[in-house]
């Protein structure tokens, strides 16, 4: 991004000590080829969506400081961590039952309970009591727990694709596509299919618009890193992937209102 360089120059000039941004913005800063450093930076926080290991490692290489998203950030940058004292977090199954297993095969909706979470949604106005189930808040995020008790983000429930009963998330496919050297950013969406229910379709914003990556090569790249059923059936080149103000991918359903 053309804004990464000026942003870093400004931060270095002003002696910035604290950085709070989404993984998308951290990735842009880490990719900057300039010479600006942030010698006074003491804490860089990642927020708004799940942090990918490649983004965390690139930021560490560029600035010599780990991105912080929880207490185990240096060892497990992609983990969400554990709740603070006085709070509870658990995984909720499809029928409301607690998900107690460990590992990516035991996914449930992340729920949180504790004092002072929030009072209401501002727009549209909705009191917290109307959103809290079982005394806690259902986040809409799907996650799993590892052997240490740390939570990991699988994806948003609304971004789940169901292909012939096999469920996976748009975000996990995007993480693979975004790691391709020819891809600047991707957006994966479900498409209705007469026999399979839903299939994955990927939009690709190339790093070099004059040389977009070949669909066959992208398919092979995904097959080497994903189970076959998660590989997108189509790869559609686009000029850019629309994003929200916080840098998250703007999903088609949001776009369509």
């Amino acid at each position: 991004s053309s804004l990464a360089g000026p942003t870093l120059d400004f931060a270095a000039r002003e002696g910035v000590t604290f950085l709070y941004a989404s993984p998308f913005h951290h990735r842009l800063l880490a990719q900057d080829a300039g010479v600006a450093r942030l010698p006074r930076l003491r804490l860089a926080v990642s927020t708004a969506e799940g942090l990918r290991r490649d983004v965390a490692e690139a930021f560490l290489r560029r600035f010599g400081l780990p991105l912080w998203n929880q207490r185990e950030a240096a060892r497990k940058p992609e983990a969400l961590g554990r709740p603070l004292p006085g709070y509870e977090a658990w995984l909720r199954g499809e029928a409301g039952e607690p998900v107690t297993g460990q590992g990516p095969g035991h996914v449930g909706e992340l729920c949180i309970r504790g004092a002072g979470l929030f009072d209401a949604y501002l727009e549209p106005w909705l009191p917290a009591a109307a959103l809290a189930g079982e005394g806690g808040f259902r986040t809409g995020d799907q996650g799993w727990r590892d052997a240490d008790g740390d939570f990991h983000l699988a994806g948003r429930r609304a971004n789940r694709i169901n292909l012939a009963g096999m469920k996976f998330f748009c975000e996990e496919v995007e993480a693979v596509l975004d790691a391709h050297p020819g891809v600047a950013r991707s957006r994966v969406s479900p498409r209705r299919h007469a026999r399979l229910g839903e299939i994955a379709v990927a939009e690709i914003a190339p790093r070099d618009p004059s040389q977009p990556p070949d669909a066959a090569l992208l398919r092979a790249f995904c097959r080497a890193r994903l189970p076959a059923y998660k590989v997108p059936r189509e790869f559609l080149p686009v000029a850019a992937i629309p994003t929200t103000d916080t840098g998250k991918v703007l999903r088609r359903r949001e776009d369509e209102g």
Side-chain angles (χ1 to χ4, degrees):
S1 168
S2 60
L3 291 177
T7 299
L8 287 173
D9 289 340
F10 171 81
R13 184 172 63 252
E14 298 298 322
V16 166
T17 61
F18 176 69
L19 181 61
Y20 183 87
S22 72
F24 173 72
H25 296 113
H26 288 309
R27 181 187 183 196
L28 292 179
L29 295 178
Q31 289 175 340
D32 176 68
V35 298
R37 294 293 185 268
L38 303 176
R40 297 188 61 186
L41 187 65
R42 59 178 179 80
L43 181 62
V45 173
S46 182
T47 185
E49 61 180 334
L51 176 62
R52 299 173 184 172
R53 180 174 288 274
D54 63 316
V55 175
E57 292 174 346
F59 191 92
L60 178 60
R61 287 194 301 269
R62 178 67 171 77
F63 301 107
L65 187 74
L67 282 173
W68 195 92
N69 60 340
Q70 39 81 26
R71 72 187 95 185
E72 295 286 347
R75 185 168 67 93
K76 293 189 290 187
E78 72 279 17
L80 298 177
R82 283 160 270 173
L84 293 170
Y87 290 85
E88 295 177 71
W90 69 97
L91 299 175
R92 181 184 187 276
E94 294 286 344
E97 77 285 3
V99 177
T100 57
Q102 298 173 350
H106 300 274
V107 173
E109 183 179 10
L110 181 61
C111 301
I112 304 173
R113 177 165 47 218
L117 279 177
F118 68 101
D119 292 325
Y121 279 154
L122 179 61
E123 189 177 352
W125 178 261
L126 193 61
L131 296 165
E134 306 165 359
F137 174 56
R138 294 178 57 180
T139 66
D141 290 321
Q142 298 286 299
W144 53 274
R145 189 187 289 107
D146 65 23
D148 297 327
D150 288 315
F151 289 95
H152 294 249
L153 184 65
R156 291 289 294 174
R157 179 182 175 84
N159 300 336
R160 187 171 62 182
I161 298 173
N162 187 345
L163 187 151
M166 297 179 289
K167 301 178 179 66
F168 59 100
F169 294 92
C170 298
E171 292 91 339
E172 58 184 307
V173 183
E174 290 165 355
V176 170
L177 287 169
D178 289 351
H180 188 282
V183 175
R185 196 155 199 194
S186 65
R187 178 170 69 173
V188 174
S189 307
R191 176 185 292 174
R192 294 297 305 169
H193 189 277
R195 291 185 296 104
L196 300 175
E198 293 177 330
I199 58 173
V201 175
E203 295 167 277
I204 304 295
R207 195 170 296 281
D208 181 356
S210 67
Q211 294 183 313
D214 180 75
L217 295 179
L218 286 174
R219 189 171 293 108
F221 186 83
C222 289
R223 282 177 176 165
R225 294 161 177 81
L226 291 168
Y229 69 92
K230 296 182 182 181
V231 176
R233 299 298 180 95
E234 290 186 37
F235 298 89
L236 311 173
V238 296
I241 300 297
T243 61
T244 67
D245 291 340
T246 59
K248 293 191 289 186
V249 171
L250 187 62
R251 301 293 168 183
R252 280 188 178 277
R253 53 191 151 273
E254 299 175 50
D255 224 2
E256 296 166 357

